[in-house]
Amino acid sequence: MLNNMSDIYVIISTDSRPQLPFELQLEQNSYQCVQILRDLPERRLVMKAVDSHGKNVVIKLFANQAKAQKDFERELQGVDAVKPVAVKTPNLLFSVSEPHGSALVYDFIENSQTFHLDSAVPQRLALLSELMLTLHSGGIYQDDIHLDNLLLSGDEIVLIDLGSVKQSGDGKALDKDTSLTNLARLFAQFSLQQRSHLMPLLKVYYEGRGWHYSADEQQQFSQLLDKAWQQRKTQFLKKCFRPCTMTYYQKNIHWQVAAKRDFWQQSQLQSVRDIEALFAGAQVLKAGNTATVVRTKLAGREVVIKRYNIKNLGHAISRCWRPSRAAASWCNANLLVFSGIPTTEPLAFIEKRMGPLRQTAYFISEYHEAEELLDVYQQRMPTESEVSQIQTIFSDLNTMQVGHGDMKAQNLLLDKQGKIRLIDLDAMREYGNKKQAIMAHLQDKKRFLKNWKNPELEAFFRVMLQGQNTRL
């Protein structure tokens, strides 16, 4: 049991955590902490807990350092700021502030889930529009607005993480620039495919604020949205290479590791030798000079491990200073997940190192029972759903100015649920230059068409891809 705030400070100030569940004492109240909800090492820890009466609560613990204490103070200010506005938020039960650290205890929102769009799109958009209109008309906005801070509870949206709530200086409704910038940040949280659902909400929002809505206004907002999306993408990819709630990260003279935190904790990998041991007896999917790919089980999951081999001394010298292809695969797979483009879930990358020099590297992803499109379409023609998925993958990559680099049909997998996933991402590249991006997109199309020896199938895909923004 952790009996005082000094104990709390110790667990927040390191990357280690007590094994769940554990007991915590706050203000003469005893809690059993059962789940970590958010984790920012050395700064903040958010947990689901059960009090002595069996009631579920959320406990936020803040470390005793300047940034963490500012977070604590901002959250208290945010709690006060939203009180006059008709927005549902968790009830704050009490707060604790001591020299060793601080804590906030909230009611737990039962039967809730992170906001998302599903078959009930119109109803969900109506809730979202109502929330944003209420906040902005009340002179309030959440600066760090993202979907994890919006919970669906029945037919209501609950706003959480009030530390990023800000107010207009005069207490009046937000000005137009601030309002639209904040709305663009919200829209940027959704995938590229969901933008078509969101744009009608913009018109509803304009009408709710009493503003004139026009094509020029929509174009200006699209520019704000693109800027917000780029900023969010940059922040997300940085999180893939530093310790945070999502990512376990470690770098020392022996190795560099980035992994999904839960997966890494369950994997219990301690060294490169542990990874190599998994290759013994594993199912070999590919055995080449530059890469060996196996299927095995790790952390209770079926996984694929791709080892990027070092062929010889010259190859080792050429690769040792550059980011490994495993790191590129990790980054690019996370980029696809961020963008809503289906791929196999990235779980970890590991680089064996000798000080600053990189050696053998590994990329671990989730295994899906699937077939390569090249094999599938030798037996039959594509279905309407499959055609739509392929078109969307090409279209989204084009929108993102990303070239895959090796868009052969073997790198598109069709699983048993009919979902197509893009794999083999170590050559994928994002282009800042639009002309270079168009050329890369054309090369991806040409590589895809080169697969098909059947003239009928090649003609079919050529017509399909000519519906894209670029021409062959």
Side-chain angles (χ1 to χ4, degrees), residues 215-404:
D216 285 344
E217 292 285 344
Q218 185 174 343
Q219 177 62 30
Q220 290 173 17
F221 182 79
S222 294
Q223 293 173 357
L224 284 175
L225 177 55
D226 287 341
K227 181 179 179 181
W229 191 87
Q230 289 292 337
Q231 289 173 339
R232 179 176 172 248
K233 179 197 69 178
T234 300
Q235 291 170 354
F236 177 84
L237 293 179
K238 284 181 179 178
K239 288 182 178 180
C240 297
F241 291 90
R242 65 172 174 81
C244 61
T245 302
M246 178 181 76
T247 307
Y248 171 87
Y249 182 78
Q250 184 184 98
K251 182 179 179 181
N252 56 40
I253 61 172
H254 301 297
W255 67 356
Q256 180 180 205
V257 176
K260 295 297 176 65
R261 184 171 289 276
D262 289 346
F263 171 78
W264 188 258
Q265 289 171 345
Q266 294 169 21
S267 74
Q268 298 182 330
L269 293 172
Q270 300 296 322
S271 69
V272 171
R273 288 192 298 273
D274 294 338
I275 304 167
E276 280 294 332
L278 294 170
F279 280 73
Q283 178 186 354
V284 178
L285 303 179
K286 176 184 175 182
N289 288 331
T290 58
T292 303
V293 184
V294 300
R295 172 189 173 186
T296 188
K297 198 165 185 177
L298 181 60
R301 305 173 70 164
E302 292 285 334
V303 301
V304 172
I305 305 178
K306 187 172 186 177
R307 180 180 63 202
Y308 293 91
N309 302 320
I310 300 298
K311 293 185 294 185
N312 50 48
L313 179 61
H315 187 220
I317 293 172
S318 71
R319 297 297 317 180
C320 68
W321 294 107
R322 291 181 287 166
S324 68
R325 289 186 292 162
S329 293
W330 167 255
C331 181
N332 290 332
N334 277 288
L335 175 60
L336 293 190
V337 171
F338 168 84
S339 307
I341 298 175
T343 187
T344 53
E345 182 187 355
L347 298 174
F349 95 88
I350 300 101
E351 289 175 350
K352 183 180 179 182
R353 298 174 73 94
M354 186 171 64
L357 306 180
R358 297 171 176 87
Q359 298 178 313
T360 308
Y362 308 80
F363 174 60
I364 306 175
S365 59
E366 188 175 31
Y367 174 79
H368 285 272
E369 191 71 42
E371 295 181 86
E372 297 173 355
L373 289 194
L374 187 64
D375 294 332
V376 174
Y377 297 150
Q378 286 178 348
Q379 308 300 321
R380 63 171 177 81
M381 293 294 287
T383 67
E384 185 176 341
S385 171
E386 291 160 9
V387 168
S388 177
Q389 290 181 69
I390 296 169
Q391 287 177 320
T392 299
I393 288 172
F394 274 95
S395 176
D396 287 350
L397 289 175
N398 186 37
T399 299
M400 295 162 56
Q401 296 192 179
V402 167
H404 180 271

Side-chain angles (χ1 to χ4, degrees), residues 404-463:
H404 180 271
D406 191 18
M407 189 65 88
K408 56 189 178 185
Q410 293 96 320
N411 289 334
L412 290 158
L413 304 182
L414 177 66
D415 68 21
K416 291 185 176 180
Q417 288 71 45
K419 187 171 186 177
I420 295 177
R421 301 173 191 271
L422 184 61
I423 63 166
D424 201 7
L425 309 177
D426 51 69
M428 197 174 97
R429 181 180 168 189
E430 192 173 8
Y431 294 87
N433 182 288
K434 193 168 186 178
K435 183 178 288 188
Q436 290 179 332
I438 290 173
M439 293 303 298
H441 186 63
L442 286 171
Q443 288 300 318
D444 281 348
K445 287 183 175 181
K446 289 178 180 178
R447 182 65 187 90
F448 181 77
L449 290 176
K450 190 178 178 181
N451 290 278
W452 315 109
K453 306 303 181 184
N454 181 331
E456 180 184 2
L457 199 57
E458 193 271 347
F460 175 86
F461 281 122
R462 181 174 292 274
V463 171

Side-chain angles (χ1 to χ4, degrees), residues 188-199:
Q189 307 302 311
F190 294 89
S191 70
L192 297 173
Q193 298 85 8
Q194 291 174 323
R195 286 191 183 181
S196 60
H197 294 305
L198 293 167
M199 292 314 290

Side-chain angles (χ1 to χ4, degrees), residues 93-234:
L93 299 175
F94 66 89
S95 63
V96 181
S97 181
E98 295 184 6
H100 294 290
S102 305
L104 297 169
V105 181
Y106 290 96
D107 278 334
F108 181 80
I109 307 297
E110 302 286 354
N111 303 315
S112 63
Q113 56 184 314
T114 299
F115 184 92
H116 63 280
L117 295 178
D118 58 9
S119 56
V121 168
Q123 295 92 325
R124 297 278 168 88
L125 290 180
L127 289 175
L128 202 57
S129 178
E130 181 182 353
L131 172 70
M132 299 307 287
L133 282 169
T134 301
L135 286 172
H136 293 175
S137 297
I140 291 173
Y141 66 102
Q142 191 176 49
D143 191 42
D144 184 29
I145 191 161
H146 56 79
L147 300 186
D148 285 340
N149 287 339
L150 304 177
L151 297 183
L152 277 170
S153 177
D155 58 355
E156 291 182 295
I157 296 180
V158 183
L159 188 68
I160 64 172
D161 195 11
L162 305 180
S164 65
V165 167
K166 294 187 177 180
Q167 295 175 286
S168 60
D170 55 10
K172 298 179 181 178
L174 290 185
D175 63 83
K176 191 173 184 178
D177 287 345
T178 304
S179 298
L180 293 180
T181 298
N182 191 238
L183 194 64
R185 288 181 180 176
L186 173 61
F187 279 26
Q189 307 302 311
F190 294 89
S191 70
L192 297 173
Q193 298 85 8
Q194 291 174 323
R195 286 191 183 181
S196 60
H197 294 305
L198 293 167
M199 292 314 290
L201 187 152
L202 182 63
K203 183 178 180 181
V204 173
Y205 180 86
Y206 264 75
E207 291 171 348
R209 295 295 301 270
W211 299 338
H212 175 65
Y213 184 71
S214 66
D216 285 344
E217 292 285 344
Q218 185 174 343
Q219 177 62 30
Q220 290 173 17
F221 182 79
S222 294
Q223 293 173 357
L224 284 175
L225 177 55
D226 287 341
K227 181 179 179 181
W229 191 87
Q230 289 292 337
Q231 289 173 339
R232 179 176 172 248
K233 179 197 69 178
T234 300

Side-chain angles (χ1 to χ4, degrees), residues 4-10 12-13 26-27 43 61-70 72-73 95-103:
N4 54 56
M5 295 302 289
S6 61
D7 292 332
I8 295 170
Y9 174 64
V10 169
I12 306 174
S13 298
L26 286 174
E27 292 284 278
R43 190 161 169 179
L61 303 177
F62 300 83
N64 181 24
Q65 50 114 317
K67 286 184 178 180
Q69 286 307 299
K70 283 184 179 179
F72 173 73
E73 292 164 7
S95 63
V96 181
S97 181
E98 295 184 6
H100 294 290
S102 305

